[in-house]
Amino acid sequence: MDANALRQALEPTSLQMLLGIHVIHTEFKNAVELILALVAALAALALRRRHWMLRSRGFVMISGAFLLEVLAAGVQPAAQRWFEAASVVMFFWGAILLTRQMIDGITHRRRAHFSPIFRDLVVAFLYAVVLLAVLRINLRFDVTSLAVSSTVVGAALGFGLQETLGNMFNGLSLQLQSPFAPGDWVRFRDQVGYVLGTNWRSTSIVTRANERLEIPNGLLTRDVLFNYATGRIADEVSIGLPYAEPPNRVRSIAARVLASIPQVLADPPPEILAWAFGESAIQYRLRYWLANYEPVERVRDEVVTRLWYALRRDSVEIPFPTRTVLMHESQPAHLVRADRESMVVAELRKIDFLCSLSDQELQSLMSEVSIHQFAHRETLEHEGEIAECFHLLLRGTVEILAHGANGATVRIRDVTAPNVVGEIALLQGIPRTASVVAATDVEVAVVTKAGFTQMLRSKPEIAEEIARIVAPRLTETAERVRSLHDGSGAVVQERRLLARMREIFDI
């Protein structure tokens, strides 16, 4: 080896100067660089199949940089500077790549969004700065002429890749304007979904059917995009109802339905609008507000379902938009009503405190009895309200719920048809001590206080029979603790209940 080669071999390289390896004795420099290359290679091997914050590629590049440093010592001086330049480029590119991966991992854990376009621009810029600096400092290249050549090549590529470059710059424009963010619910043409992210070429949207839709950025910037991430979202349901129904009554029914759905906001309040006169019905629009767009379809289903049941209970028919001609003889209305009353009387006879009454006595109740239907999860009776009726279950199951000492809702029991609920509060004239909620779709006969009063006044001795049967039930439930100390608790309860019934029903 001549003197110049020996002197060049002993001089520290750029990478050694940058990392401080030049302070180590010349005989140990190669050993240190080999150790660093081995450590980086082992790190790359350990991360090869791991899904951690850092990936193996950056460590591979750093390991390769140190190996090039070691190999540079054994090559000709003319080639040695190329090895040194390549090692510097590989080391810094590997460091930039690891830094980018670390930033991506931190933002992902914090659920923050950092634009991949800006990230890629910054990374490409740093790569270019490192490359140009090494070319200028280590290899003595004229970067000015290189920039001119790159401009010519770039112009040629840009002419051939107009659409691709257009999508790239449109993606950059979307990032600068920020018309949406990942997680926002949007509608593009006939597709609705939430934004997954924007890259150089396209924007990814995941639809309700869990389909990933890739929309080119150029197309996205030229068309109308609806963004539902502005806070509260309004939705509406339209329905046609008969001209015979007063609009104010319809508004009252619809308002109760909307108020019973938890997702519908009370502020701003829902709007029930009589919108137009149709051929066979008045058209109504129910507009309500939700906190966000995601549950809009489920809430609309809940609104339509509960509205159907509420209208059915209030005897409001939804008219058909067509004329129907009946070609058969239908059963007279009074016969249909008589059959229905006979069915209800038969069910009333199954109730323990009414089973001993005659058909005539039970029939006296029917003038104040109406048949209602309730949907699953609707409330028939509210805890704390004054009882004006009780419910005879004709079909379905209900839950009895009450508030415990800590305010939590406690499930007491289930009641299945045929049975009766709410009679205790009506007979005592006290607020209801529990709520009754439909566990399934239910059909009930509502027996009002007026009908019960009419029956008791026609035959006052019925009250004694009812009090005798119902009193033990009171003793076993609400007043069990107070009655256990007295063996005559049931008798006392019967007398109290009979006195209370005579006072309430004026018999």
Side-chain angles (χ1 to χ4, degrees):
M1 183 180 294
D2 59 15
N4 290 334
L6 180 61
R7 181 176 54 81
Q8 191 169 359
L10 294 176
E11 288 181 357
T13 64
S14 300
L15 188 59
Q16 290 173 353
M17 293 288 292
L18 291 171
L19 299 179
I21 301 177
H22 66 285
V23 301
I24 302 174
H25 194 276
T26 305
E27 297 179 357
F28 300 108
K29 288 181 181 178
N30 288 344
V32 171
E33 289 177 339
L34 282 174
I35 292 173
L36 292 176
L38 180 60
V39 170
L42 291 176
L45 185 63
L47 295 172
R48 185 180 58 174
R49 298 184 181 276
R50 304 284 185 178
H51 296 284
W52 290 351
M53 183 183 298
L54 299 179
R55 300 292 186 268
S56 62
R57 190 170 54 177
F59 287 104
V60 170
M61 296 175 70
I62 292 175
S63 178
F66 286 120
L67 288 176
L68 286 176
E69 280 281 302
V70 175
L71 293 175
V75 299
Q76 295 296 324
Q80 189 173 11
R81 62 173 184 162
W82 289 93
F83 274 78
E84 293 179 3
S87 67
V88 173
V89 171
M90 289 185 66
F91 178 83
F92 279 101
W93 281 10
I96 292 171
L97 183 60
L98 291 176
T99 303
R100 192 205 73 177
Q101 292 171 354
M102 186 177 298
I103 294 174
D104 287 347
I106 293 174
T107 55
H108 178 73
R109 288 183 179 181
R110 295 182 178 179
R111 299 186 182 277
H113 173 62
F114 187 78
S115 168
I117 296 179
F118 286 119
R119 178 200 64 193
D120 294 343
L121 280 175
V122 172
V123 170
F125 174 76
L126 293 176
Y127 282 169
V129 168
V130 170
L131 180 61
L132 292 175
V134 170
L135 290 175
R136 180 68 181 86
I137 297 172
N138 291 69
L139 301 179
R140 302 293 189 269
F141 269 34
D142 184 3
V143 294
T144 305
S145 61
L146 183 63
V148 173
S149 302
S150 300
T151 303
V152 175
V153 174
L157 290 175
F159 184 78
L161 302 173
Q162 289 184 7
E163 184 176 354
T164 302
L165 292 176
N167 285 329
M168 291 170 58
F169 284 106
N170 284 320
L172 183 60
S173 174
L174 289 173
Q175 292 296 330
L176 292 173
Q177 296 176 2
S178 298
F180 50 76
D184 289 355
W185 281 87
V186 298
R187 176 164 64 88
F188 180 73
R189 296 182 179 177
D190 59 344
Q191 299 291 336
V192 177
Y194 65 88
V195 177
L196 195 61
T198 299
N199 55 37
W200 284 100
R201 191 189 71 84
S202 63
T203 296
S204 301
I205 294 177
V206 179
T207 67
R208 290 188 178 276
N210 201 31
E211 301 168 334
R212 179 165 173 167
L213 182 66
E214 297 287 344
I215 305 174
N217 293 327
L219 184 62
L220 199 61
T221 56
R222 292 194 300 268
D223 214 327
V224 178
L225 179 80
F226 294 87
N227 190 343
Y228 298 111
T230 55
R232 296 172 299 191
I233 294 295
D235 193 25
E236 66 177 45
V237 171
S238 300
I239 187 172
L241 295 176
Y243 280 94
E245 295 298 331
N248 285 339
R249 181 166 182 257
V250 171
R251 289 191 183 95
S252 177
I253 297 171
R256 292 200 308 269
V257 169
L258 294 175
S260 68
I261 300 175
Q263 293 91 338
V264 174
L265 299 180
D267 184 26
E271 298 177 338
I272 298 96
L273 308 173
W275 195 251
F277 293 104
E279 291 185 0
S280 59
I282 297 178
Q283 299 298 321
Y284 293 89
R285 293 172 61 181
L286 282 62
R287 183 181 298 138
Y288 51 89
W289 294 82
L290 308 176
N292 56 73
Y293 183 82
E294 193 273 333
V296 64
E297 292 187 353
R298 295 194 302 273
V299 174
R300 187 181 301 173
D301 168 75
E302 191 78 7
V303 170
V304 173
T305 300
R306 294 199 180 192
L307 186 62
W308 185 91
Y309 282 99
L311 293 172
R312 191 69 175 265
R313 286 195 299 272
D314 285 88
S315 302
V316 179
E317 294 292 334
I318 302 176
F320 293 97
T322 57
R323 295 183 178 88
T324 302
V325 179
L326 300 177
M327 304 302 295
H328 62 277
E329 183 178 358
S330 60
Q331 188 176 10
H334 69 279
L335 294 180
V336 174
R337 186 168 56 252
D339 291 343
R340 193 69 168 168
E341 290 181 357
S342 299
M343 184 271 293
V344 175
V345 168
E347 295 298 324
L348 287 173
R349 186 170 297 285
K350 298 177 183 178
I351 306 305
D352 54 359
F353 62 89
L354 298 177
C355 62
S356 62
L357 303 182
S358 65
D359 288 345
Q360 183 178 1
E361 291 166 346
L362 290 174
Q363 195 67 37
S364 63
L365 285 173
M366 295 309 301
S367 61
E368 298 293 335
V369 171
S370 55
I371 308 298
H372 288 172
Q373 291 176 318
F374 288 85
H376 179 215
R377 296 193 304 272
E378 283 198 283
T379 302
L380 287 69
E381 300 174 3
H382 293 270
E383 183 178 355
E385 69 179 2
I386 301 299
E388 295 294 334
C389 65
F390 67 84
H391 293 88
L392 170 65
L393 295 179
L394 302 176
R395 176 174 57 86
T397 302
V398 297
E399 294 178 329
I400 310 298
L401 306 176
H403 287 92
N406 58 356
T409 300
V410 179
R411 178 181 175 185
I412 299 175
R413 67 179 187 278
D414 291 347
V415 179
T416 302
N419 217 317
V420 66
V421 291
E423 77 286 2
I424 300 297
L426 177 67
L427 296 177
Q428 289 187 299
I430 60 174
R432 300 192 188 277
T433 58
S435 296
V436 179
V437 179
T440 63
D441 286 4
V442 298
E443 185 176 28
V444 298
V446 181
V447 182
T448 63
K449 179 180 177 180
F452 217 69
T453 301
Q454 182 178 347
M455 182 192 70
L456 292 179
R457 286 181 177 176
S458 65
K459 194 173 182 181
E461 57 270 22
I462 299 176
E464 297 180 6
E465 180 68 14
I466 293 175
R468 182 183 64 80
I469 297 174
V470 175
R473 191 181 305 167
L474 290 175
T475 304
E476 294 174 0
T477 54
E479 298 184 359
R480 172 179 290 180
V481 176
R482 190 173 62 184
S483 302
L484 284 177
H485 71 278
D486 187 354
S488 59
V491 177
V492 173
Q493 193 63 259
E494 177 183 342
R495 293 173 180 172
R496 290 177 179 174
L497 178 60
L498 180 58
R500 185 62 176 159
M501 289 173 58
R502 286 171 174 167
E503 176 184 352
I504 294 172
F505 300 103
D506 191 22
I507 57 176

